[in-house]
Amino acid sequence: MRRLVEHAKEVVRFAPVRPAVMAGIRAAIATVLPLVMAQALHLPGGLWLCLGGFNASFADKGGSYRARASSMGAGLCMGAVAAFLGAVAGQEAALSIAVALVWVTACSFGGVYGAAASVVGNTASSAFIVSLALPVHSWAEAFQRGGLLALGALWAMFLSLVLWPIRPYGPSRLAVAGGFRAVEAYAGEVARLFARGASAEAWQEQILLHHARIRETLEVAGSTLAATRRGRGESERGEQLLVLLQIAEVMFSTVIALGDVLESQRSEARAHPEWERVDAALGTFCLELQRLARGVEREGRVREPSALDWGAPTPDAARSLEWEWEPGERAALGYAWRLVSRLRGFVEAASKTETRLAGEPLASPSPPPSWAQQVLGPVRDNLSMGSLVFRHALRVGLTTTVAVAVSLAFIPSHGYWVTITVLTILQPYTGATFLRGLQRVGGTVVGGLLAAGLATSLNTPAELMPFVFVTVAISIAIIPLNYGLYTVFLTLTFVLLAEFESGDFTLARVRVLNTLMGGGLALAGMWLLWERPERELLPEQLAAALRANREHFLLALSERVGPASPPSESHFSEARRKIGLATLNAEASFLRLMSEPRRRAEPIEPVMTLLAYLRRFAAAVISVAASPADGVSRESRVQVERFGDSAALVLEDLAEAVHRGRAPSPLPDLDGLLPVPEQEPLLRLQLERVARRIGVLHGAVSRRVAQTPLERPAAPETP
């Protein structure tokens, strides 16, 4: 009962975002205007024009013009083919079932090419099902149906891309660009303070002036981006802006560290050419940030190549410092150049992300993948039952085929509503399917009741069309808020159109009954066909996150105490990317588990602690990697290596324990392996934080196993 109440709350919960009013009005124009024109000119096929415009508007999930044109164009072509194929196959029952299995499975499998391809596949499947239920008597009619749907989609593309382009991520882009500008302003002030040898009071004044303002700017950008992303059907564009915002965060912390180093230098050292080169590199960094901010704001409309000289320490001058400066001063200069190098790496990563945000291909020294690799590669990689996309495609195809067969055999009126319900409810994950099913059924019941009450009041096209325009606009505008409310207005729209077209005012009841049947089939398909509950997926994701942090930790230690040639910044960037993706996957898996209707009593507190301290552990390791590597004694090097080996074994054991559902091995005394504070005070302090984070992770894994009431299935032994 408690979980039932939780799911009921989730069904009616509204995302804290503004409705997409302009997008809704534009979609209503794309959908209703062709229908009005067809009615006014007494042309047949107005509903297919309407469906083409609606599907194309639904496929427009934002992004660069190139990405939007590609997704909408693919939706146009696939929709036209689907309408033609459904019209032809619908003439024979056996042919309908066979073609439905192949077409719907293939469209669902299109998700291997990304989120946009998944949306296009869903709309093409829906167009096929509707056309399948309305067979034609000649090939000419089938071609006409496909052409009308393509014409409606073409009108929607022209409206969206030419007449009325809407940029939903505009506020987020401006907010992220504002973060870059705030960091640039602070970096420029740090350079000016260092150049004129400012006093400690002046440095403190600038810290008080800038730090709080930059933090507020970054927080506002994060909340703006989160509000825009929440509820949208695409992820790549929002992820790119999120990456840029995270880069601005690490840039801010790195500039703080560099400012601390610059402030500590003697006035005599500031005039040395080596420090002047550091100051010049900081100026280059400011120019790069200005370029990045302009690129994010304009989204690639003005491409500005980066060809600035960051400089580097001069070898001859660096050797001369061995007798001019104290060891601490030489170490400070090396640390400053290390921080400058990190800033340069962050700028390069941000430039690549900003290029992808603009929809432009990245320049690569290697030849681009061939057409066969781009098209056949994802298919080949996912043609196995181990692929989530492949299992989901088979599930959707088989369940939809059963719905088609049931509709043909037992449902005389508008049986395609059963099949459409199956298509829209089925999701790759159990919890998402269950929630979508509750929202779809509940929204259809409410919308059907409203349609039944309004059907007798709207008797003419002049009365119906303005009302339909409003309901279409509202349905598209509120998709980010709540899918159930979207279903209410969607049901109201298409039931009224169907009743007006057929003159049958009992279709609201038919819609509700067919939706209930489709919802039951969708849930049965999810639970009976290769369901892998999230309680089995979550341990794998947590173990992957632990192992990604282990590899990053070993990489950081190898730079501090490893060979003469330390890992490059690209290695660290790739390791941090893997940590971010693995942690995000684990967090998403945990959230999906909480939404599953049949989930077991997963202990919440240990998993939440584990997820939180995975990020804190990664932050502690980043602090180790960012510190200067000079001056580690041989004795300390041996101790640090012993500490690293023991910590890596603990992390691997934790990953195995989480994956297999067993208690972890006893935690060794990591503090006893730390270097003595007299030799390496900074490194010891940093590794103490790492050891504390490992202790918390160990405790969370132990509590999770102890609090789990049911025995977990053991993972297969690995050789």
Side-chain angles (χ1 to χ4, degrees):
M1 180 59 68
R2 178 179 58 83
R3 289 200 299 271
L4 183 61
V5 172
E6 290 176 0
H7 292 309
K9 291 180 180 179
E10 189 66 27
V11 167
V12 298
R13 181 174 289 120
F14 284 77
V17 298
R18 294 181 179 180
V21 178
M22 294 297 103
I25 295 175
R26 188 181 64 184
I29 295 174
T31 303
V32 178
L33 185 59
L35 186 60
V36 172
M37 296 292 294
Q39 290 282 346
L41 299 176
H42 304 287
L43 299 176
L47 283 177
W48 295 106
L49 292 169
C50 173
L51 182 62
F54 183 83
N55 284 351
S57 299
F58 193 80
D60 182 13
K61 296 300 182 180
S64 64
Y65 280 100
R66 180 182 302 174
R68 293 171 62 197
S70 298
S71 62
M72 297 181 77
L76 183 153
C77 298
M78 292 289 291
V81 173
F84 169 79
L85 194 61
V88 173
Q91 300 178 28
E92 296 289 340
L95 184 62
S96 298
I97 296 173
V99 176
L101 175 61
V102 175
W103 179 260
V104 174
T105 303
C107 289
S108 299
F109 190 65
V112 298
Y113 297 110
S118 180
V119 173
V120 170
N122 289 338
T123 58
S125 297
S126 300
F128 170 80
I129 293 301
V130 175
S131 184
L132 190 70
L134 303 172
V136 296
H137 303 289
S138 67
W139 287 75
E141 292 182 57
F143 277 113
Q144 182 186 38
R145 178 175 296 179
L148 288 172
L149 191 142
L151 186 61
L154 187 63
W155 155 243
M157 288 183 64
F158 180 71
L159 179 63
S160 298
L161 300 176
V162 180
L163 294 183
W164 192 358
I166 297 175
R167 309 176 78 86
Y169 275 104
S172 297
R173 288 189 294 101
L174 294 177
V176 172
F180 282 120
R181 294 192 183 280
V183 175
E184 181 271 328
Y186 177 57
E189 192 60 35
V190 167
R192 285 189 290 272
L193 290 173
F194 177 73
R196 70 170 188 256
S199 62
E201 291 76 12
W203 282 94
Q204 181 65 22
E205 180 183 352
Q206 290 303 318
I207 289 174
L208 296 175
L209 176 64
H210 284 277
H211 284 203
R213 182 171 58 85
I214 295 175
R215 172 50 50 198
E216 181 181 0
T217 301
L218 295 175
E219 291 296 329
V220 169
S223 60
T224 302
L225 181 56
T228 306
R229 293 187 69 199
R230 189 178 291 113
R232 295 190 62 83
E234 56 84 33
S235 60
E236 181 178 0
R237 185 173 183 73
E239 286 177 357
Q240 291 165 353
L241 286 170
L242 181 60
V243 168
L244 288 172
L245 182 60
Q246 291 172 341
I247 292 175
E249 288 267 7
V250 294
M251 284 179 174
F252 176 41
S253 61
T254 306
V255 173
I256 291 176
L258 183 58
D260 185 66
V261 175
L262 296 179
E263 181 187 0
S264 65
Q265 298 310 300
R266 297 179 295 113
S267 58
E268 296 84 356
R270 290 171 181 168
H272 195 280
E274 288 302 302
W275 281 113
E276 291 179 354
R277 292 173 67 83
V278 173
D279 187 47
L282 192 56
T284 299
F285 172 70
C286 293
L287 294 176
E288 289 286 313
L289 283 188
Q290 294 175 10
R291 180 186 61 83
L292 280 172
R294 288 193 295 269
V296 174
E297 289 172 345
R298 303 172 185 178
E299 205 171 73
R301 282 180 282 177
V302 177
R303 302 300 303 155
E304 300 180 36
S306 174
L308 298 174
D309 182 16
W310 284 78
T314 306
D316 294 337
R319 283 193 296 268
S320 68
L321 297 181
E322 294 181 4
W323 58 271
E324 289 184 19
W325 288 0
E326 296 294 332
E329 294 176 332
R330 295 198 301 270
L333 179 62
Y335 186 34
W337 275 115
R338 184 185 182 86
L339 293 174
V340 169
S341 177
R342 291 177 63 83
L343 290 176
R344 181 175 184 175
F346 293 144
V347 167
E348 291 173 352
S351 298
K352 293 178 180 179
T353 306
E354 188 265 332
T355 302
R356 288 194 294 267
L357 180 68
E360 299 185 6
L362 289 175
S364 175
S366 59
S370 63
W371 180 88
Q373 291 174 327
Q374 293 179 358
V375 176
L376 300 181
V379 175
R380 183 176 55 252
D381 294 340
N382 287 274
L383 275 179
S384 68
M385 291 305 297
S387 169
L388 176 67
V389 178
F390 185 68
R391 292 200 309 270
H392 178 63
L394 286 179
R395 184 188 301 121
V396 173
L398 290 173
T399 310
T400 301
T401 303
V402 171
V404 170
V406 170
S407 301
L408 292 174
F410 304 107
I411 304 176
S413 175
H414 292 78
Y416 65 88
W417 281 340
V418 176
T419 314
I420 293 294
T421 301
V422 170
L423 283 173
T424 53
I425 288 179
L426 276 176
Q427 303 293 309
Y429 302 102
T430 303
T433 297
F434 185 74
L435 176 61
R436 180 65 63 89
L438 291 179
Q439 292 177 322
R440 181 81 180 189
V441 172
T444 299
V445 170
V446 175
L449 293 175
L450 291 175
L454 293 170
T456 57
S457 303
L458 304 172
N459 300 318
T460 65
E463 297 172 339
L464 178 66
M465 293 306 166
F467 187 83
V468 168
F469 181 92
V470 173
T471 56
V472 170
I474 294 176
S475 65
I476 296 295
I478 62 177
I479 288 179
L481 276 73
N482 184 279
Y483 180 81
L485 191 59
Y486 156 76
T487 304
V488 170
F489 287 95
L490 186 72
T491 300
L492 182 59
T493 299
F494 285 99
V495 167
L496 289 176
L497 287 175
E499 289 180 341
F500 181 79
E501 186 77 12
S502 63
D504 184 0
F505 293 98
T506 64
L507 292 183
R509 178 174 59 86
V510 173
R511 172 87 179 202
V512 172
L513 294 176
N514 289 355
T515 300
L516 290 172
M517 184 178 298
L521 286 174
L523 294 179
M526 171 56 71
W527 284 329
L528 297 177
L529 298 177
W530 307 292
E531 180 199 18
R532 194 176 182 196
E534 206 65 44
R535 62 188 175 87
E536 297 180 8
L537 295 174
L538 177 61
E540 296 179 5
Q541 302 293 351
L542 291 173
L546 283 165
R547 290 191 172 102
N549 277 276
R550 174 183 177 273
E551 296 303 319
H552 182 224
F553 171 69
L554 291 176
L555 191 67
L557 280 192
S558 70
E559 185 185 40
R560 294 297 304 272
V561 298
S565 57
S568 64
E569 182 61 34
S570 62
H571 288 88
F572 280 102
S573 298
E574 181 65 17
R576 288 192 293 266
R577 187 187 69 84
K578 289 182 178 179
I579 289 175
L581 290 176
T583 307
L584 285 174
N585 289 337
E587 291 170 345
S589 179
F590 180 65
L591 292 176
R592 290 194 299 266
L593 176 65
M594 294 298 100
S595 67
E596 282 193 353
R598 302 185 302 169
R599 66 177 172 90
R600 302 299 186 264
E602 175 74 30
I604 295 178
E605 181 275 328
V607 178
M608 293 182 67
T609 302
L610 188 59
L611 292 171
Y613 271 82
L614 280 172
R615 293 193 176 277
R616 299 191 68 180
F617 177 81
V621 174
I622 289 175
S623 176
V624 174
S627 299
D630 301 334
V632 178
S633 64
R634 183 174 181 180
E635 296 78 7
S636 298
R637 190 184 303 271
V638 173
Q639 289 179 298
V640 171
E641 289 176 349
R642 292 174 56 195
F643 174 85
D645 293 340
S646 298
L649 288 175
V650 172
L651 291 173
E652 179 60 30
D653 179 69
L654 291 179
E656 284 291 311
V658 167
H659 194 188
R660 300 179 185 278
R662 63 167 174 81
S665 302
L667 185 66
D669 182 17
L670 295 177
D671 290 337
L673 301 175
L674 294 171
V676 295
E678 292 78 10
Q679 292 179 346
E680 302 293 341
L682 176 60
L683 183 58
R684 178 184 172 89
L685 180 63
Q686 293 170 333
L687 294 182
E688 281 179 349
R689 296 178 60 197
V690 171
R692 288 197 298 269
R693 304 292 188 265
I694 292 178
V696 176
L697 293 174
H698 186 277
V701 174
S702 302
R703 292 196 305 277
R704 178 175 180 269
V705 175
Q707 297 176 17
T708 302
L710 295 178
E711 182 180 355
R712 300 179 182 277
E717 292 289 339
T718 56

